[in-house]
């Protein structure tokens, strides 16, 4: 078996921000520590950037954009560079996977099999699409030509969460770079390391200096100045609903930049009376809540189940939970590592305490393990008023609620402020179509747990999303402006 602990010791980790093709410190000279959540060991001291660094990065991104060195390339030239970039990510699979596991506490097997390959795949998909997209010509009289064209917005800022550091970066920079923009990435302060290495690989692939920049630091010091900067044309964010709201304020109070928000969720799986194969449903749903320590925006943290199959499902879920080993992220057998930070651990623990205090029945888990590890936890007898039914926990904690009719099940599934994803189990194809339409969610999976693929748009209804979608060609819309060029031919 590969010894990832030994590999980790040999990797040299980035320790600077990346602006205009160069490694740099914060102008203030200040730094902050990023630590391994599995051990508490400090991995690196990173620049604590602030608004002065934001000004420099925006100027570099704007200059690169105006120069046309990237924005005015033929789409097929951008495609070639980005395909090379995706290839370099694949060439550096092990290194990137180990850095991600160290910095985020994610299991190494997931990093190797999902996070890094999906990152490369996302960048390649958008690269390959770009030289196959046509603009439009409007219907007009023979005396005029009306062109409807899409142009890159200019300077894009991407503010990222810590739960899928590489993949969330790819979901933003893939379409933003493919469409010709310059980008400034602000990774989550807990997990900045892979973003820095990715920027370095982009330059190696041929992305010009200033086109992809990474500023490390805290949300209020870097995220807010990016959100308020008049030199930023579009801001794309993935993170909590609470911070997402702030970006709308920042935009409204500055230049009304385009804002695209992918935010929190409290996604439900609905198991109807006619659902079959409860064992398989339990396996899929254990994955849907426990995978990535439950630190997943589409985690199905609620199950609404018809009373006729309730007890069998809860028992099968309890059995599944026991199979989720929690341990060292660098051990390839580990399915779940620690939660990302002490603050997050405290939040998850307090929500579990609220579940107990408000009368939910604990089926399994509920306790911590070593350090920041949290055991897979299932609550039954959860009602809609309870905190664990309404609030995103973002940990491996499942709330099971009983319903007596299909209508009640759908109504309960929709009874939170969120609308990111939903899952539906039924063997009746007519019900599947009808209920999928009734579920208030950006993605509905039927008889599976899924977020769709890179080709399908991803985003949320209600308090889960605003202003656009990640993935698919739909993601290009938030990084491009629609322009009409009307040419009078009579003169
Ligand atoms: P967060 O909102 O706390 O932080 C996200 C980013 O915003 C970080 O880079 C942070 O530094 C920055 N930020 C924090 N405060 C800020 C401020 N005042 N101004 C500007 N920027 C600020 O979220 P998180 O804890 O990193 O991630 C977890 C959340 O992300 C969960 O709610 C989860 O559901 C959500 N998420 C959503 C999706 C999706 O696609 N919908 C995907 C992954 C995660």
């Amino acid at each position: 078996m590969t010894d990832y602990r030994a590999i980790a010791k040999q990797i040299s980790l980035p320790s600077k921000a990346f602006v205009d093709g160069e490694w740099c410190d914060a102008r203030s000279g200040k730094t902050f520590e990023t630590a391994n959540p599995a051990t508490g060991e400090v991995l690196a001291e990173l620049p604590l950037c602030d608004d002065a660094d934001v000004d420099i990065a925006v100027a570099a991104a704007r200059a690169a954009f105006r120069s046309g060195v990237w924005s005015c390339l033929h789409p097929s030239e951008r495609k070639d560079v980005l395909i090379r970039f995706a290839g370099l990510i694949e060439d550096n699979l092990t290194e990137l996977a180990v850095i991600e596991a160290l910095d985020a506490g994610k299991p190494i097997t997931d990093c190797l099999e999902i996070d890094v390959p999906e990152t490369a795949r996302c960048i390649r998909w958008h690269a390959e699409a770009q030289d196959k997209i046509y603009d439009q010509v409007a219907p007009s009289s023979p005396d005029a030509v009306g062109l409807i064209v899409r142009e890159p917005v200019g300077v894009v800022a991407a503010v990222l969460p810590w739960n899928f550091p590489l993949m969330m970066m790819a979901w933003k920079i893939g379409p933003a770079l493919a469409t010709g923009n310059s980008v400034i990435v602000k990774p989550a302060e807990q997990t900045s390391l892979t973003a820095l290495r990715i920027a370095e690989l982009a330059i190696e692939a041929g992305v010009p200096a200033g086109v992809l920049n990474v500023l490390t630091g805290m949300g209020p010091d870097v995220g807010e100045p990016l959100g308020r900067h008049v030199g930023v044309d579009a801001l794309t964010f993935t993170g909590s609903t609470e911070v997402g709201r702030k970006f709308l304020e920042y935009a409204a109070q500055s230049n009304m930049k385009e804002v695209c928000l992918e935010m929190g969720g409290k996604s439900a799986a609905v198991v109807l009376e006619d659902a079959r194969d409860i064992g398989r449903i339990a396996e899929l749903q254990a994955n849907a809540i426990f995978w990535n320590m439950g630190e997943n925006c589409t985690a199905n943290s609620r199950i609404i189940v018809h009373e006729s199959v309730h007890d069998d499902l809860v028992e099968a879920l309890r059995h599944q939970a026991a199979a989720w080993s929690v341990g060292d992220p660098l051990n390839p057998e580990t399915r779940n590592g620690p939660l990302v930070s002490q603050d997050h651990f405290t939040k998850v623990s307090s929500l579990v305490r609220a579940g107990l205090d408000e009368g939910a029945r604990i089926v399994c888990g509920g306790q911590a393990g070593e350090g920041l590890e949290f055991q897979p936890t299932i609550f039954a007898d959860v009602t809609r008023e309870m905190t664990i039914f309404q609030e995103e926990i973002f940990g491996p904690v499942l709330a099971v609620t009983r319903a007596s009719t299909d209508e009640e099940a759908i109504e309960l599934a929709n009874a939170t402020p969120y609308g990111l994803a939903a899952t539906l189990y039924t063997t009746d194809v007519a019900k599947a179509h009808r209920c999928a339409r009734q579920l208030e969610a950006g993605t509905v999976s039927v008889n599976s747990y899924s977020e769709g693929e890179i080709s399908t748009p991803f985003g949320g209804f209600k308090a889960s999303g605003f202003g656009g979608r990640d993935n698919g060609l739909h993601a290009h819309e938030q990084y491009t402006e629609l322009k009409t060029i009307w040419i009078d031919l009579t003169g």
Side-chain angles (χ1 to χ4, degrees), residues 194-485:
T194 45
L196 294 164
R197 182 71 179 112
I198 287 284
E200 191 180 30
L201 293 175
I203 291 279
E204 193 180 331
V207 173
V211 171
L212 180 59
N213 310 277
V214 178
L215 289 178
T216 50
M218 304 299 146
D221 301 337
V222 181
E224 178 167 349
L226 285 170
R228 293 189 181 281
H229 209 292
V230 293
V232 172
D233 302 296
L235 188 134
T236 177
F237 167 78
T238 293
S240 61
T241 297
E242 185 194 349
V243 174
R245 280 182 209 283
K246 293 184 197 245
F247 280 105
L248 291 179
E249 286 176 28
Y250 303 155
Q253 290 163 4
S254 56
N255 60 344
M256 298 184 81
K257 57 179 65 63
E258 299 204 13
V259 176
C260 176
L261 306 173
E262 300 291 355
M263 299 173 288
K266 192 70 190 171
S267 302
V270 175
V271 184
L272 298 183
E273 188 176 12
D274 63 287
R276 294 287 168 271
D277 199 347
I278 295 300
R280 177 173 170 273
I281 295 174
E283 188 181 347
L284 291 169
Q285 288 312 121
N287 190 49
I289 178 62
F290 300 137
W291 178 58
N292 206 53
M293 293 67 78
E295 295 170 342
N296 177 13
C297 56
T298 60
N300 284 182
S301 52
R302 295 181 298 144
I303 294 185
I304 318 291
V305 51
H306 192 273
E307 57 196 8
S308 61
V309 286
H310 174 276
D311 293 354
D312 289 349
L313 181 63
V314 169
E315 184 50 28
L317 283 164
R318 193 180 60 76
H319 188 69
Q320 285 291 331
W324 280 77
S325 57
V326 187
D328 176 5
L330 290 178
N331 177 349
E333 314 259 292
T334 296
R335 288 183 90 179
N336 269 359
L339 300 183
V340 75
S341 64
Q342 182 63 53
D343 283 354
H344 189 54
F345 181 89
T346 304
K347 180 189 153 192
V348 172
S349 305
S350 76
L351 285 164
V352 166
R353 169 57 46 203
L356 292 168
D357 291 348
E358 292 173 20
R361 172 166 62 89
I362 194 130
V363 175
C364 63
Q367 329 82 2
E370 295 272 307
L372 301 181
E373 291 171 5
F374 207 93
Q375 296 300 324
T377 298
I378 301 176
F379 281 104
D381 301 338
V382 177
T383 56
R384 76 168 74 201
E385 307 73 31
M386 290 183 185
T387 309
I388 58 170
F389 184 97
Q390 292 291 339
E391 281 190 25
E392 182 178 48
I393 299 176
F394 223 55
V397 183
L398 174 64
V400 183
T401 302
R402 211 183 277 262
S404 32
T405 62
D406 293 352
E407 292 69 29
E408 187 193 8
I410 300 293
E411 200 263 317
L412 281 165
N414 290 337
T416 79
Y418 296 107
L420 190 56
T423 299
L424 180 67
Y425 291 99
T426 175
T427 45
D428 179 331
V429 82
K431 265 193 200 175
H433 279 281
R434 202 168 49 244
C435 295
R437 299 281 180 151
Q438 291 167 345
L439 286 162
E440 296 164 358
T443 301
V444 177
S445 320
V446 179
N447 293 329
S448 66
Y449 164 65
S450 164
E451 293 180 354
E453 291 192 344
I454 180 73
S455 55
T456 54
F458 177 89
F461 286 18
K462 295 156 68 178
S464 292
F466 177 91
R469 289 289 185 264
D470 286 325
N471 291 345
L473 292 181
H474 300 80
H476 292 211
E477 287 168 23
Q478 58 187 291
Y479 304 114
T480 53
E481 285 280 20
L482 204 57
K483 180 183 276 181
T484 297
I485 302 175

Side-chain angles (χ1 to χ4, degrees), residues 172-186:
K172 310 298 190 189
I173 67 170
L177 291 177
T179 47
N181 297 284
S182 296
V183 185
I184 302 164
V185 173
K186 188 264 183 253

Side-chain angles (χ1 to χ4, degrees), residues 96-214:
L96 286 165
V98 170
I99 300 176
E100 194 83 321
L102 287 172
D103 207 16
K106 291 165 72 82
I108 186 69
T109 303
D110 285 352
C111 297
L112 288 164
E113 293 178 2
I114 301 170
D115 297 72
V116 181
E118 288 293 317
T119 296
R121 193 159 165 254
C122 174
I123 287 167
R124 184 177 287 116
W125 192 90
H126 289 288
E128 285 174 343
Q130 193 54 33
D131 64 352
K132 294 150 194 93
I133 297 172
Y134 292 78
D135 285 328
Q136 295 173 312
V137 180
S140 68
S141 82
D143 295 336
V145 176
L147 302 176
I148 304 166
V149 299
R150 283 213 165 262
E151 297 181 346
V153 289
V155 175
V156 172
V159 179
L160 305 179
W162 43 258
N163 61 336
F164 291 96
L166 275 169
M167 276 165 63
M168 292 304 102
M169 181 173 181
W171 283 18
K172 310 298 190 189
I173 67 170
L177 291 177
T179 47
N181 297 284
S182 296
V183 185
I184 302 164
V185 173
K186 188 264 183 253
E189 54 275 21
Q190 299 86 346
T191 57
S192 308
L193 297 177
T194 45
L196 294 164
R197 182 71 179 112
I198 287 284
E200 191 180 30
L201 293 175
I203 291 279
E204 193 180 331
V207 173
V211 171
L212 180 59
N213 310 277
V214 178

